[in-house]
Amino acid sequence: MTIRRNVTPWASAALVLTALLTTSCAGKEPNATRSEAKPPSSTPHGYVEGAQETAEQQSRLLLNDPGSGNTRVLDLVTGKVHRTTQVKDAVRLGMDGRFGYLQAADGTHVLDSGAWMVDHGDHVHYYSAATRDVGEIPAGSQARIRSDVAVTAVTDENGRTVLYDRGKLEKGKIATSRTLGGTYVGAVVPYEEHLLAFANQGGTTELVVLDRKGERVASPDVACEAPGGDGVTRRGVILGCADGALLVRAQDGAFTAEKIPYGKHVPEEERATAFRHRPGSDTLTALAGGDAVWVLDVAERNWKRVETGPVVAANTAGEGSPLLVLETDGSVHGYDIATGKQTARTKPLLTAGKRDDSAGTAPVIEVDRSRAYVNDPQGKKVFEIDYNDGLRIARTFDLDVKPVLMAETGR
């Protein structure tokens, strides 16, 4: 197996969901690229007990077959596969940069991938440690889970939200820090030591900013009908609305919300309700019905609709990279975002894709700083694609499980 080398320069970007400034992990990863040294009496900058700091990104793929429950962690640096606890009947795999959340009807299993990054703005630290199972959160398949450095917010299907101590998760323990009062619509998103949420007020939906105790500290005066979908970028948090999106930012201690409208009426079935992007990027993608993809450029504050044909999954690395679209012909297509024209296409990689928005088990495209990954459940494979080289298939990983659910960590 060829060892992956990161060949594309990448300026570090603020990554809110994975900015783990001081973490503790147990275990030593046998496949790490650098030996661990004992800390001196004066703790060096960036030192994390139990983890190994590395010079390169330590990406890993979390993979799960809901039918058998088989779960694997694929190390993208070494190409080796690690077994972990079986988790059956999962219908969703959430990810926050380090932890995977396998959601089933009777609860959510938390898996520490053992790979993460810390972005200090002017430099980045990459870490690797042993993969381990953390335990169960009493939240079902419809729960919405969002994290930052301090807390993991879990909002159930009834809108009730519980905050879990992120520091305890890093130590392999599950502990609640607070249950918020009231109920909320959609996900509660940790951001800038606060929480962003939509509350029902007299039949209308209101954006509110809460402190970590759940007390309301601000209510930006902006409308958002039918909120759905969210994404954290280095420029702020994107929250989807019926007429476009809100960009919420913290500036000089105050929170502002700016509308980024579609610019025209968009039917309900074609609205962006789930965003995907490379962590740290300001370019987000979302399905626009069955035959097109939305691209939201946060920096430019505009939407671009790219007509693609029948689409299963989409993503992009942003910043001049192509829009990557897995279509129902089983191929990944590359599109120039500015012109909307197709620029490249792979051979058919998997059996015609199946899109299931309710279950979240369709194949996905994960993107990092130099590669994209597509899971082929029926073929028991994961394809690594060099999107900067005409969608060249760089590696194919043959697996002993069906990778129905897939998420990338360590970015």
Side-chain angles (χ1 to χ4, degrees), residues 89-369:
D89 302 323
V91 299
R92 200 176 310 278
L93 173 54
M95 185 278 299
D96 64 8
R98 173 175 176 174
F99 294 92
Y101 302 92
L102 283 160
Q103 298 179 237
D106 59 352
T108 295
H109 184 81
V110 184
L111 175 64
D112 185 349
S113 72
W116 70 96
M117 64 168 284
V118 177
D119 194 327
H120 289 297
D122 60 345
H123 65 283
V124 177
H125 296 271
Y126 299 108
Y127 296 96
S128 66
T131 297
R132 65 179 172 185
D133 295 284
V134 180
E136 302 290 327
I137 289 177
S141 58
Q142 299 305 310
R144 295 169 175 84
I145 303 174
R146 305 291 186 268
S147 298
D148 73 353
V149 59
V151 299
T152 295
V154 180
T155 306
D156 67 19
E157 63 271 21
N158 298 312
R160 294 185 293 267
T161 300
V162 177
L163 303 183
Y164 290 84
D165 188 322
R166 179 58 179 264
K168 295 292 180 62
L169 285 183
E170 293 156 10
K171 295 178 180 179
K173 301 177 181 179
I174 292 177
T176 60
S177 61
R178 186 173 301 274
T179 298
L180 301 185
T183 59
Y184 301 95
V185 179
V188 172
V189 182
Y191 174 62
E192 292 291 332
E193 301 180 3
H194 289 75
L195 303 166
L196 305 182
F198 287 106
N200 279 320
Q201 298 291 333
T204 62
T205 303
E206 179 184 13
L207 173 64
V208 297
V209 181
L210 312 173
D211 63 19
R212 292 300 165 91
K213 296 180 180 180
E215 299 296 327
R216 185 180 302 194
V217 296
S219 298
D221 186 16
V222 63
C224 182
E225 180 185 349
D230 55 89
V232 179
T233 77
R234 63 175 178 262
R235 296 179 185 271
V237 177
I238 287 293
L239 302 171
C241 304
D243 59 352
L246 296 180
L247 172 60
V248 182
R249 293 183 292 170
Q251 295 179 308
D252 300 323
F255 286 83
T256 63
E258 177 183 354
K259 181 65 68 70
I260 307 178
Y262 288 123
K264 62 179 180 180
H265 173 71
V266 175
E268 181 177 358
E269 65 273 13
E270 296 180 9
R271 296 171 186 166
T273 57
F275 295 101
R276 294 187 66 83
H277 69 307
R278 176 178 61 78
S281 169
D282 292 331
T283 306
L284 292 81
T285 66
L287 303 188
D291 300 298
V293 174
W294 288 112
V295 179
L296 172 58
D297 186 329
V298 180
E300 297 297 328
R301 309 291 200 273
N302 64 37
W303 295 85
K304 174 76 174 182
R305 180 185 169 101
V306 180
E307 303 294 337
T308 60
V311 57
V312 176
N315 211 332
T316 183
E319 300 175 0
S321 298
L323 169 65
L324 304 176
V325 182
L326 175 63
E327 301 189 16
T328 54
D329 60 3
S331 299
V332 175
H333 301 243
Y335 292 86
D336 182 280
I337 294 175
T339 66
K341 294 182 178 180
Q342 181 173 297
T343 57
R345 175 184 175 183
T346 69
K347 65 181 180 180
L349 301 179
L350 59 157
T351 305
K354 179 182 179 182
R355 176 177 163 189
D356 186 345
D357 295 330
S358 61
T361 55
V364 298
I365 301 175
E366 290 284 358
V367 178
D368 62 29
R369 64 183 186 178

